[in-house]
Amino acid sequence: LTSTPLIIKNAFPIVTMDDLIRSTSTYHGDDSNAHNDNLILNVDVTPDGYGDCIRIVDGERVFVMPEVRPMSFDDFRDGLRLRSHKSHNRNARNRKNCSNIIDTNAHEEEVNDADQSEDRDENGHVKLSSNKDIEDNNIHLKADQEVFYYSRQNDCLRMELQPLTSMFPPFIPFANEAFDAEPDAINLWIGNENSTSSMHKDHYENIFCVASGQKLFTICPPADALFIKEESVPSGTFRCNNDCWTVDMQQTNDGQNNEKEHEYVRWIECDVERIMKPASLHSRTECMKKYPLLEYAHPIRVCVEAGDMLYLPALWYHKVTQSCETVAVNYWYDMRFDSPNWCYFNFLQHLHIDCDETFKRDDKNSDNHNQ
C-alpha cells in the first residue's frame, strides 16, 4: 500500500504569532501593547537561515546544527520581524507562481545563482571555521543579520508551551483513526522567509498544519532514495560570541582509550532545488556533475496555505521554508516499521549504483538505438 501526500483545505484554525502572545500576555492598555516576558522559547539561531545542514567548516563537510538561544516570546517576535526584510528572492518567486501543487516545470524564468561568493558554498551556506581557530576565518555578522526560527521537535507544544495548547486541536481525528494511535509529538513552528530546512526525511506520519502564513515544501518520494545521496559526516553546533560565528564540533569518548572522537551524522548534502527551475543553467550543470543520479529524482513543490493541512507520509524527503511570517503546527504519528514500505525503503538505501557503469551502459544503449 503506497501512501500519497494530500492537502486538505480550510481544515485548521487561523492563529497568528500575535494571537499566541495575546493569549498568554499581560495587557497594558490595548491589544497592541500586549507583551509576554514569562514564556521562554528555545530559538534556533543561524548566521544565514540554514539550520541542520551540511556546511564547509575548515574546508571539510560538517553537519552543523543551529545555536539554541533562550529568549522571551517578545524578543523572538521583535527579532524575527526586524530581520524579515532579509528575504530570499527564490521564495518570492515561488510565492508568485504558487498554487497548491507545482510540478518541476512550473517556473520558466531562469535566475542567477543566489548567494554565490567566496564565503559561501554551492548551496548558499556560509562557510565557517571550528572553534579551534580563534579569528582567522570566522564569520562576523551584525545582530540584525542573525536568523531566528522556532522549530523545536520534541513535542514542544505539550512539553514546553502548555499555555498555548488550548489554541490548537489536541489531535487530528481522521489521523488518529487512520493510524490507530494518538500523536507521538505535537510541535510548533514559527519563522519567516529567511529560514530554510535542508532536505531530510522523518520516520513519522506527518500531519502538517499552517495556522497563518504560507509554507513552501519541496518533496521527493521515498523511492528517490536511490538518487538522493546520504553520507556520514562529522557534526557540530553553531556558537556566536560577540557577533563572531564558529562551530563547536560534537565529540564523544571512543569507549576504549577514553579518547575523544567526532560524532557522525548521516545527512543529505545535495540540494534538489539546484536542478529545478528557476535555477540557472550553470547551477543545474554544476550540480549534475557532483550528483549525477539526482537527474532521476522526482521533486515536487507544494504550497500549504493558512488553514490547510498537508499529509506528508513517513519517509518522504522534504525541504521546507516560508514565504512570510508563518505559524504552523505538526502532528507526528509513529510509522509502522513492520510495513512493506519500510522494508522497501531500507532495501533501496542499501543499494549501490555505480554511476560510471550506469552512464556507460546508457550511452551504449543510446548509440545502438541511433544506429
Side-chain angles (χ1 to χ4, degrees):
L1 179 64
T2 301
S3 298
T4 303
L6 171 71
I7 287 181
I8 303 175
K9 302 290 292 180
N10 303 315
F12 201 73
I14 300 298
V15 179
T16 67
M17 181 157 58
D18 290 328
D19 292 333
L20 295 176
I21 293 177
R22 279 194 293 267
S23 71
T24 57
S25 291
T26 301
Y27 290 91
H28 295 274
D30 56 40
D31 283 359
S32 63
N33 295 320
H35 69 89
N36 190 321
D37 293 322
N38 297 322
L39 192 59
I40 300 299
L41 304 180
N42 292 307
V43 176
D44 289 348
V45 185
T46 61
D48 57 6
Y50 294 94
D52 291 344
C53 66
I54 296 178
R55 300 172 176 269
I56 303 300
V57 179
D58 296 331
E60 302 294 333
R61 296 194 304 278
V62 176
F63 175 77
V64 183
M65 295 169 283
E67 177 182 274
V68 178
R69 191 179 301 172
M71 64 183 70
S72 71
F73 215 139
D74 291 335
D75 288 342
F76 171 66
R77 174 194 58 190
D78 296 342
L80 190 71
R81 290 175 178 173
L82 175 66
R83 298 156 179 80
S84 64
H85 66 282
K86 299 287 185 179
S87 62
H88 294 161
N89 290 334
R90 66 176 179 273
N91 291 347
R93 287 190 296 273
N94 286 351
R95 182 173 69 252
K96 178 180 178 181
N97 295 281
C98 209
S99 57
N100 283 120
I101 305 293
I102 301 182
D103 64 26
T104 56
N105 296 314
H107 303 287
E108 298 300 332
E109 178 185 0
E110 287 191 352
V111 298
N112 295 326
D113 296 332
D115 298 331
Q116 281 296 308
S117 64
E118 292 183 357
D119 64 346
R120 292 178 182 264
D121 63 21
E122 70 271 16
N123 292 327
H125 305 157
V126 170
K127 297 178 182 178
L128 295 142
S129 62
S130 62
N131 58 8
K132 65 183 179 182
D133 299 317
I134 303 302
E135 288 293 339
D136 293 344
N137 297 309
N138 296 344
I139 301 300
H140 292 263
L141 294 173
K142 296 179 180 179
D144 66 353
Q145 291 178 287
E146 298 176 331
V147 178
F148 290 178
Y149 187 39
Y150 185 75
S151 62
R152 306 292 286 171
Q153 301 172 49
N154 58 353
D155 197 18
C156 62
L157 192 59
R158 295 186 295 193
M159 301 300 293
E160 298 180 359
L161 305 174
Q162 291 93 341
L164 302 180
T165 55
S166 63
M167 304 287 289
F168 304 104
F171 59 89
I172 305 299
F174 78 84
N176 279 30
E177 181 177 352
F179 305 128
D180 192 25
E182 295 287 330
D184 189 64
I186 305 176
N187 302 306
L188 179 67
W189 309 75
I190 308 175
N192 61 18
E193 64 275 11
N194 294 322
S195 55
T196 302
S197 72
S198 61
M199 185 70 80
H200 64 284
K201 65 184 184 300
D202 297 314
H203 297 85
Y204 288 100
E205 305 288 353
N206 192 357
I207 308 295
F208 200 99
C209 309
V210 176
S212 60
Q214 183 190 66
K215 281 280 184 177
L216 308 174
F217 284 75
T218 301
I219 63 176
C220 292
D224 281 356
L226 281 170
F227 318 125
I228 297 177
K229 180 183 178 184
E230 291 188 18
E231 58 182 312
S232 293
V233 293
S235 63
T237 304
F238 272 126
R239 179 166 60 90
C240 182
N241 284 325
N242 300 319
D243 297 337
C244 179
W245 286 89
T246 58
V247 173
D248 290 334
M249 300 301 295
Q250 301 292 310
Q251 294 183 322
T252 184
N253 291 330
D254 64 3
Q256 295 180 349
N257 302 318
N258 203 30
E259 295 180 355
K260 297 291 186 179
E261 293 184 344
H262 286 311
E263 288 188 4
Y264 279 76
V265 171
R266 284 191 60 82
W267 206 257
I268 299 166
E269 182 178 18
C270 58
D271 183 357
V272 71
E273 288 196 339
R274 294 188 64 214
I275 65 167
M276 300 173 69
K277 296 178 180 179
S280 69
L281 177 61
H282 173 75
S283 174
R284 295 198 291 270
T285 301
E286 291 302 310
C287 186
M288 293 306 302
K289 287 181 181 178
K290 191 171 183 180
Y291 308 106
L293 292 176
L294 204 58
E295 176 185 3
Y296 302 100
H298 304 83
I300 303 171
R301 289 192 176 103
V302 180
C303 296
V304 188
E305 307 284 352
D308 294 350
M309 292 181 181
L310 168 66
Y311 165 50
L312 188 67
L315 304 176
W316 273 70
Y317 296 100
H318 53 289
K319 175 180 179 178
V320 191
T321 187
Q322 301 75 221
S323 65
C324 56
E325 183 176 295
T326 300
V327 175
V329 176
N330 84 303
Y331 299 76
W332 268 339
Y333 292 82
D334 275 333
M335 66 168 286
R336 293 284 302 272
F337 284 91
D338 59 350
S339 71
N341 291 341
W342 167 245
C343 296
Y344 179 60
F345 178 80
N346 202 36
F347 165 72
L348 292 177
Q349 281 204 306
H350 285 81
L351 284 180
H352 173 74
I353 297 179
D354 189 321
C355 296
D356 293 334
E357 289 300 319
T358 299
F359 296 144
K360 287 178 184 177
R361 187 162 55 251
D362 287 347
D363 291 342
K364 183 177 180 180
N365 291 339
S366 176
D367 292 340
N368 292 337
H369 177 74
N370 292 333
Q371 291 174 1

